[in-house]
Amino acid sequence: MKKSIFFELSFSEPQAHYVDVRMSISGFQEKEYIDIKMPVWAPGSYLIREYAKNVEKIKFSSPARAVTAEKIAKNTWRIYNPSEHIEVSYAVYGFEVSVRTSFIDASRAFLSPVGTFMYIDGYLDLETSVHIDLFPSWNKISTGLQKTSETNTFYAPNFDILFDSPIEIGTQDTWTFDVDGILHECAMVGEADYDKERLTEDITTIVREENKIWGSNPNYYYLIITHNYQNSNGGLEHLNSTVLSTSRFNYAQPTAYKNYLSLVAHEYFHLWHVKRLRPKALGPFNYDAENYTTGLWIIEGFTSYYDNLIIRRCGIFDEYEYLQKLAVDFNTVYNRPGYLLQSAAASSFDTWIKQYRPDENSHNVAISYYNKGAMHAVAMDIKIIAASQGTKCLDDVMRAAYEHFYLIENRGFEEDEFQALAERVTGVDLSDIFTAAHHAEEVDYNQYFHLVGYEIIDKAEEQNYLTLGIKVGSNEGHTVIKNVDRDSAAWISGLNVGDELIAINNHRIEINGKAIEYVLAHASAGDTVNILISRDGLIKEIPVKLIASDKKSYSIQRREIATDEERRLGNIWLSIKDYLVHDKKYNHLIIR
């Protein structure tokens, strides 16, 4: 008998945040036993999330005979002497707001497939189908899974596709539009004041710009699910869909709306870069454990560089807005003392224990491969543009890598292979950038920016202000230290995370920090201030010797002394085709 697996989803208690799952298994009767498993992580979000913790009421049955089964590991159940047909039923609790986890209530259900469906160990390549019984007040299903001829039934050729296809069920607002022959669907979840016509136009522009970069689009259908909350921001990529979260108020605010479009550009870029062009470690997946790679700085970092650049190329960001966005990556990295300790490659490898599990000391020991990878990407792009006199750029590398590793060889790449291809395609030695990605030593990024007539400047150097080097928060009305910067005045003097701040030089400290600001404004580097704290219920006075802040405030701007050739290359980099005049009042360029 042919091996098969079929799922049926229903909702007997959505208000209590449960989905009911029935898994029908056939054709495994010759086995001594089979192990059914639930993934422990979601591809694209590199953290062991232990989805099996949400499984309840699991039962095993067969029309032929009693089923003997037991749980043998945290996410594994073993069925002994399986009969021709076996049914596994279980309930999954889902009430976590994120793009990676399931959320179910009386109004809707968002199902993260890795936390909903189980698989049979060793049989990820089996095809499967899913039937969904709609809750009475629901009327729509949005998913990248292939529809079948049966109502509310969907098909997946294997479990990798199933696990990569989130499902939104409820009353979401949906509409479709065509972009270059590809059907796109938007599914808007939750109340928000968005303009469908404007969204369609802007997303179409983004898609066309990205299609130009890659040369082709592998999908015939693409789904964009957006969860609209009061305050939220995030996204997770999939083969032919993405799930975004944003604030319902963003569509009416120009800057916030552009940031949402940048998020769309980021996740859409991933349909090529990550989902298809990828490091070897990221597919086929091991759903049981961590999948380690040092290459996230390439796949996520480069995507973080391209998202805002694409919005610039689309004309949504002007030059000044784009340079501000790019400067954020530099400020984010350089204002974390951990940049002196962790490289982009090390950040990639340690993502499983650091990126998604930050604590009070994370900023002192780690950086994000998103930001640092973007910094390496802009250096690479500029170096290629300059060395080729503007005839090539990073686009050429991405397109060639996609064609070679995915379309031709259909495999993941090693970093040295990616570097070799990039150098072969461009004729440019890129070893300085790939070496820098594996070392924490500082890079002079102006050696790249100057090539295209720009410069990065730390404007904080002119301010030379004092700081304790702490971040504070409120805990039951008390002002409490949340972070202490490495090598800051607070770090050296011994102020600790968790200390309640009571007074500074006999001035009461409130959560607004006015007393601290006042004392520091009237002090000099080398002065000592006395800070009264409560630590574990005991009152202490800590003398703190003040030092100047080492915080950065980078901006990126055109160089006054740039040559005509450098300016020409800069215009190519930022897709500036008009005549530009420098506006000294705002220190940026305006189009005339």
Side-chain angles (χ1 to χ4, degrees), residues 59 109 117 172 200 237 294 298 359 369 375 409 491 516 525:
K59 296 179 181 178
F117 302 107
Q172 60 270 21
T200 298
E237 69 276 2
T294 58
I298 297 176
D359 59 27
Y369 47 81
M375 292 162 62
E409 299 195 355
W491 174 285
I516 296 175

Side-chain angles (χ1 to χ4, degrees), residues 164-177:
D164 202 40
S165 303
I167 305 172
E168 184 72 41
I169 313 167
T171 59
Q172 60 270 21
D173 182 20
T174 62
W175 71 94
T176 60
F177 52 96

Side-chain angles (χ1 to χ4, degrees), residues 11 107-111 132-143 147 151-152 154 166-176 185-189 194 196 223 225:
F11 301 88
S107 66
R108 53 178 277 257
F110 170 67
L111 301 181
I132 300 172
D133 291 327
L134 289 174
F135 191 65
S137 61
W138 302 347
N139 58 22
K140 285 185 181 177
I141 302 170
S142 300
T143 180
K147 295 179 181 178
T151 303
N152 297 339
F154 303 86
I167 305 172
E168 184 72 41
I169 313 167
T171 59
Q172 60 270 21
D173 182 20
T174 62
W175 71 94
T176 60
E185 180 171 355
C186 285
M188 283 288 183
V189 183
Y194 49 85
K196 291 184 185 181
L223 170 67
I225 300 172

Side-chain angles (χ1 to χ4, degrees), residues 498-511:
D499 287 348
E500 178 193 350
L501 298 176
I502 300 173
I504 178 169
N505 281 4
N506 298 319
H507 293 281
R508 176 72 181 180
I509 296 175
E510 303 292 347
I511 192 62

Side-chain angles (χ1 to χ4, degrees), residues 363-384:
H363 71 296
N364 286 320
V365 298
I367 57 165
S368 169
Y369 47 81
Y370 284 85
N371 306 113
K372 194 60 183 283
M375 292 162 62
H376 292 319
V378 67
M380 192 179 301
D381 195 14
I382 287 174
K383 186 173 185 180
I384 293 169

